[in-house]
Amino acid sequence: MNKKLVAAALGLAFAAPVFADSSNVTLYGRVHQAIEHNTTDVNGANSSGNGTNIADYSSRLGVRGVEDLGGGLSAIFAYEFGVDTDAVNTGATNMNTRHAYLGLKGSYGTFVIGSQDGGNDSQAPLYNQASAYMFNVNNNAGQLTVVNGNDAVINRVQRVGNSLGYANTIAGVKVSARHALGGTDAASGAVPSTENDRRESSIAADYTIGALTFGGGYTRIEGSEAVENTPVTGFNALNSLKSQIQFGAKYNFGAFQLAGLIGQNKYYGTRNSDNEIAISGLLPLSANSGVQALYAQAENGRATTTAGVQGGNQETDNTQAQISYYYDFSKRTRTYVGFNRTNRDAFVAATGANIEADDDSFVVGLRHNF
């Protein structure tokens, strides 16, 4: 199925000149790979999985387009696939849908519907905002991730399906919003499939005045009483996420930039809330190179096991420290080197045990956009 979709996307892209009078269709993508050296120590002892490997970092292939409808109104669309450039295809596909949406853009703003994340015109309000207030060298992919995934301390929902998105700038305030309905397949019964069972609403706003940019965001996840209070699996597990709130700011001093983020996550059930902070800086060394540094902390953060989360009996304090250097050969090609350490200090109430784990990653990466 994915091969057919890719073929259709490629055909549409190459056919674009035929429709050049009224539309603009673009094929684009990214190839991003890195060499990693990862080590993990648990209570001072090396664990399994240490070593060096080559990894794909969120490579992708997509097609996007816009058509002028007149009167300042345009139709927009995009379909983007995640492509694992490091995988050996043994019959199973190594592709997945990142986002797929259709929408309208005009003086009133941008409205899109479909599967959405933080790419192109699709919306991921808190994820995009958190990324804007934390510096890193490789666009939130791989072991140097600072938002979501891997061992990142700051966690925000990025990609959801069945959603409506809106973005606009009103009186200088940049606003983005997203509302996601429950479920993905009404026939499967695997997850709720109606808006009454589960829904997720997010909004973020940012304002720039001179060298200062600041803003805040809020996400609320809710549903029926049965969903909110019954310990089932998946999105609706007891002690699953209930709400997120965050505030961020960054200031450009000219010689360098400094940014900070604070946030709190709340949960259904008995799990404690998470309090998160992050501070980061970006020091340009030349027009095409620079150094980034970050420190982040989550108090009572993610439990290290699913059972710990659902049982509400494990508290984890997470810290993340990172430094990296980048060099841009061009606007499209970047190489970088970086080091990340994530520490998880967990207390398991059921056993009274303390578990301290350090994950260290040394990364050399190369990324090319086309």
Side-chain angles (χ1 to χ4, degrees):
M1 179 63 181
N2 280 327
K3 291 181 179 179
K4 293 180 180 179
L5 290 172
V6 172
L10 291 171
L12 183 60
F14 289 123
V18 177
F19 304 102
D21 292 341
S22 59
S23 65
N24 181 13
V25 180
T26 303
L27 178 70
Y28 69 95
R30 171 185 299 170
V31 181
H32 190 178
Q33 288 196 320
I35 301 174
E36 306 174 348
H37 181 73
N38 302 312
T39 60
T40 298
D41 294 336
V42 179
N43 289 343
N46 286 124
S47 67
S48 61
N50 297 340
T52 303
N53 66 289
I54 297 176
D56 175 82
Y57 278 4
S58 193
S59 296
R60 64 201 64 176
L61 176 67
V63 58
R64 59 178 176 244
V66 56
E67 181 179 7
D68 185 0
L69 302 178
L73 185 65
S74 298
I76 57 175
F77 78 91
Y79 203 133
E80 184 175 291
F81 305 90
V83 182
D84 189 348
T85 60
D86 190 51
V88 177
N89 195 334
T90 58
T93 180
N94 61 347
M95 303 182 67
N96 58 81
T97 300
R98 292 174 54 86
H99 59 242
Y101 63 84
L102 178 66
L104 297 171
K105 178 183 287 189
S107 58
Y108 62 87
T110 300
F111 173 79
V112 288
I113 183 169
S115 299
Q116 298 185 48
D117 59 17
N120 294 328
D121 285 304
S122 60
Q123 298 301 313
L126 267 68
Y127 178 87
N128 285 352
Q129 188 181 66
S131 298
Y133 292 122
M134 288 184 286
F135 298 111
N136 83 321
V137 297
N138 66 342
N139 292 357
N140 297 322
Q143 296 299 326
L144 298 185
T145 297
V146 297
V147 186
N148 266 32
N150 299 302
D151 286 321
V153 171
I154 307 299
N155 289 285
R156 293 294 178 265
V157 176
Q158 181 193 16
R159 190 169 294 120
V160 297
N162 300 324
S163 57
L164 311 171
Y166 177 77
N168 199 5
T169 299
I170 304 171
V173 179
K174 183 180 179 181
V175 178
S176 61
R178 181 176 68 185
H179 181 73
L181 309 183
T184 58
D185 185 356
S188 70
V191 291
S193 57
T194 62
E195 196 268 349
N196 284 335
D197 286 328
R198 185 184 186 276
R199 51 195 175 273
E200 174 188 317
S201 300
S202 302
I203 187 168
D206 301 279
Y207 184 72
T208 298
I209 178 169
L212 174 66
T213 300
F214 60 94
Y218 179 74
T219 289
R220 172 77 179 189
I221 300 174
E222 58 185 355
S224 66
E225 183 177 351
V227 166
E228 292 182 1
N229 296 287
T230 303
V232 295
T233 59
F235 286 120
N236 305 297
L238 188 63
N239 299 301
S240 62
L241 185 65
K242 181 178 183 179
S243 65
Q244 294 178 313
I245 188 170
Q246 68 184 27
F247 299 96
K250 62 180 178 182
Y251 192 87
N252 190 341
F253 291 90
F256 70 98
Q257 296 183 58
L258 187 66
L261 182 86
I262 61 173
Q264 184 179 70
N265 305 329
K266 293 185 177 181
Y267 300 87
Y268 289 105
T270 58
R271 183 179 174 185
N272 290 337
S273 61
D274 300 350
N275 298 309
E276 303 170 330
I277 61 168
I279 185 169
S280 62
L282 177 63
L283 175 64
L285 300 179
S286 68
N288 59 341
S289 66
V291 174
Q292 167 270 338
L294 171 133
Y295 176 82
Q297 178 177 330
E299 179 183 355
N300 298 332
R302 297 179 299 170
T304 56
T305 65
T306 301
V309 174
Q310 294 182 351
N313 62 356
Q314 183 165 309
E315 295 180 352
T316 307
D317 293 339
N318 296 338
T319 59
Q320 183 178 6
Q322 183 182 120
I323 187 167
S324 52
Y325 166 83
Y326 69 90
Y327 180 85
D328 292 333
F329 293 102
S330 68
K331 291 182 179 180
R332 295 178 177 271
T333 303
R334 164 172 290 191
T335 187
Y336 57 88
V337 58
F339 174 79
N340 186 88
R341 165 168 284 191
T342 303
N343 173 270
R344 300 188 303 274
D345 188 3
F347 171 72
V348 184
T351 63
N354 285 296
I355 303 173
E356 184 172 355
D358 291 323
D359 294 333
D360 291 345
S361 297
F362 179 77
V363 179
V364 179
L366 181 65
R367 186 193 74 212
H368 177 74
N369 297 328
F370 62 89

